[in-house]
Structures are given as structure tokens and as C-alpha cells.
Amino acid sequence: MEIAVVGTGYVGLVTGVCLTEIGHYVTCIDIDEDKINLMREGISPIYEPGLSDLMKKNIDEGRLTFTSNHSEGFANKKVIYIAVGTPQTKEGKADLQYVEKVAADIGHHINNDVIVVTKSTVPVGTNEKVREIIRELVNGKFEVEIVSNPEFLREGSAVQDTFHGDRIVIGADSDKAASVLEEINRPFGIPIYKTDIRSAEMIKYASNAFLATKISFVNEISNLCEKLGANVEDVATGMGMDDRIGNKFLKAGIGYGGSCFPKDTSALVQIAGYVQHDFNLLKSVIEVNNDQRRLLVKKAKERFGNIEGKRVAVLGLAFKPNTDDMREAASITLCEELIQSGAEVVAYDPIAIPNAKKILPQSIQYADSVENALENADFAFIVTEWDEVKNTELDVYIKKMKTPVIFDGRNCYALEEAAKYAVEYHSVGRKTQFGI
Ligand code: UDX
């Protein structure tokens, strides 16, 4: 099938490229000329394992093209995907200006009937609005159908997730449009769930809100475990053996970050507000997460009293491993609080430093390895569980640091392992002899 994808961020580019891999002909459209030129060379502007290889292969085989020109991109396409960002406004709402702009571009530039597929995460009712904008502009000249097809990709494993996802959700009001989407997606071999447009829009928000709830729930349990002398990892394992609960997304830590959970939970609280529904549960999930991000600074202050003048090694900056994405990363809150408290911060991340430099306080120093970050530090924060961080022998902390005091926000080391070394090891939800 001939398809156009508008927006080449994580969602758009991964979607477009993976659609070519299953045999479709895709033109990816973006307004950023520099990005388009880069992508034409098969270079991915985002760090996503496996993506560049698939781009090169499908460009060479003639299925994948790029353009910044909408009329050229839309020409003869029966299906157009919208995959632009819906960032969070100051009030926590989903900002729909980019989606609406694409709808207008479609309305102005198409020259045949189209099915418009929304991949972007949009509040319930938005697809109908998009359809209205386009229909008004084409003024009866062409038939316009709309389909909600939310994505469930995780950064860092987006390509893998596209080929091995749990389900593909297709929300449509017309059987014809739903069948076309089914046909496009069939080669993925993933179960397809068809529903109406509004329910599909809601599935995306409800899924992300539920996963965020699981994380905040286990983080609250971990805070209790610390106070009551239980071990959150054992508790999560025991809970997860119940099929109704499941063992995924029960890893305690310093909270969720990234481009989706924080934004989508806030947006759902707002969406509920529009229909006079107070989503108290979700508000608490957000509040627990905001507190959890501060956990390591709280622990360090309990341990040292005053941390002014202390040299702190921050290991990992990205919101999770295998990505350079700094959006809503716990490291932002932690670094800001450390600097405000007068600490000297030396940070290390394998790939996120260029992005971190754009948003973290100016006074932060950056190291080029875990070892160099630890050099002469009074204490260390483990913020992102990169393999490189997890595999650092505890001996290295002893050799490099002034005092080997570790606050591990991701429970990278087994307690028995830490107990073998002369380090002061604090973690999350697992009480040690050090008490915090
Ligand atoms: C998420 C959803 O998983 C995906 O379906 C959706 O499309 C986009 O949002 P992503 O943001 O890439 O994907 O990251 P994910 O791997 O889900 O992790 C999100 C955050 O939760 C990370 O900060 C991670 O550290 C944290 N997390 C995850 C936990 O703290 N504990 C867990 O058990 C799982």
C-alpha cells in the first residue's frame, strides 16, 4: 500500500520505517529540511537500536522516501498517518496545535480520497475534530475517513516492539476504513483489536495511566518496606506470581519519566476535568512520582545532614537506559536539588550528555566514564541502570571515591553482593544495616 507518515519523531519514523519492512511504500514527511536530508542518507536522527539498518535497507529497496513537501508527500496516497507530537502545555493539557496543523495540511494538499490514521496520543474526541477540519477544507471533493491507531512503543526497543507488540488497536467508525488498516497491519502478525474511535483514544491513555499507577504503587510499597524492614524486590516477586497482578512494571526506583507517562497522566487528569470528573487516584499517582524523584537527595540529606560542598557522582542521566532522551528524567530534579543544596555535581551518561547539557544547571561537570565521575566523590547517586553502571564492580567505588557511600536509585546491586565490600550502600525499598 502507498502510505504517507507526517512527523518523523520516535513514533512517526519508527512507524514509517517498520511499515516499509513489511512491504508497504512509505513517504515520511517532516518540516525540518536538515532532518529530511539526514534521513535520506539512511541516518536516523534519534537513537533507536536497529532503526538505521532498516532505514538503509528500505531506502535501497525503493520503499522508503522522505520529503518536506506536503503535496509531494500526499500525492496518490490512500492512507496518511499523523504522528506529530502532542506535548504538555503549562496547565498539563495535551497541546494539539501540531495535530491540527497536519489536519489542515491534509485538507489543503490531498488530491484523492484518504483514510487518515492518528498515531499521536490525543484526547478523546480529537479524531472527530481532525476529521471535521479536513472535511471542511476538502469541501466534499474527496471522501475522508479517520482511524485512531495508538502506538504502544517503548523508547530503546521501539523497532522490536513494533514487530512483537501485544496488540494493535484500530478505532474506526467505518468498516471499510477498519478493514484497510487491518490489511496494512496483518503482516506484523500481532493480534488486532477493533473498536470505536473514542474507545481507541481512551485505550492509549488508560494503558499508560495504569502502568504509571503500577510504578507509583510499588514505589509506595517500597517506602513502606524501608520503614517496616521488608524487601520490596521479594514483595514484588511474590505479588507478581499472581497472574492477575503480573510481574512486569513492579520495579521500585526513583519514579517514571520519559515522553509519555508524565505527559499522558497529566493529560488524563485534565480530560477527566472537562467532564467534571475528579480523577483522584491518578492525581495521587503523579504526586507519589514527584516525591519519588527526590528520594536520593532526601536520603543523602538524612545521612549527611548538610550536603553543601560535597562532591557527588551522578551515574546515568537519561530517563531510562538505552536512550539519550532526557525528557522528564529523574536526573533533572535530582541535579537541580543537589546544586541548590550547594553540592558539586559530576555526572556521567554513556549517550545522554549532549541532551543533558541543554537542560541541566550550567554548573554541572561531566565525566567521560563511570570511573572518572567517581573520582574523589563524597557520595554517588545511581540514577539510570545502564549496563555499564550495573556492571561496575563495587571495588571501583572503593578505589575511586573519597568515601564510598552509594545511593542506588535503581537497585542495581544485590544486597548480599554489596555486603561483601567496604561500601556504604543505600538502595530503594531494601533495608540495609545503614538504616536509610
Ligand atoms: C512508555 C510505555 O511503556 C509505552 O507503551 C508508551 O507507548 C510510551 O511510554 P517509554 O516511555 O519508552 O514507554 O518507557 P518505559 O520503558 O515504559 O519506562 C517508563 C519509565 O518507567 C522509565 O522512567 C522507567 O525507569 C520507569 N519504570 C518502568 C519503573 O520505574 N519501574 C518499572 O517497573 C518499569
Side-chain angles (χ1 to χ4, degrees), residues 151-155 204 249-251 257 260 319-320:
E151 57 78 26
F152 302 99
L153 309 175
R154 287 166 303 173
E155 287 181 22
K204 170 68 194 218
F249 270 74
L250 284 180
K251 200 164 173 352
C260 284
F319 84 96
K320 67 173 190 178

Side-chain angles (χ1 to χ4, degrees), residues 347-365:
Y348 171 70
D349 190 284
I351 58 170
I353 291 176
N355 284 341
K357 281 184 176 165
K358 294 179 207 155
I359 42 179
L360 292 184
Q362 291 289 316
S363 55
I364 288 178
Q365 302 161 51

Side-chain angles (χ1 to χ4, degrees), residues 198-253:
R198 286 184 171 236
S199 302
E201 291 169 330
M202 192 54 151
I203 286 170
K204 170 68 194 218
Y205 279 107
S207 300
N208 276 354
F210 187 74
L211 291 169
T213 305
K214 260 187 126 171
I215 298 172
S216 278
F217 183 84
V218 81
N219 282 336
E220 275 291 69
I221 293 291
S222 83
N223 292 328
L224 268 180
C225 283
E226 285 184 12
K227 292 194 167 126
L228 297 170
N231 180 318
V232 74
E233 284 184 342
D234 292 352
V235 172
T237 304
M239 285 168 66
M241 289 169 84
D242 185 328
D243 271 349
R244 293 170 302 174
I245 296 172
N247 58 12
K248 297 198 180 115
F249 270 74
L250 284 180
K251 200 164 173 352

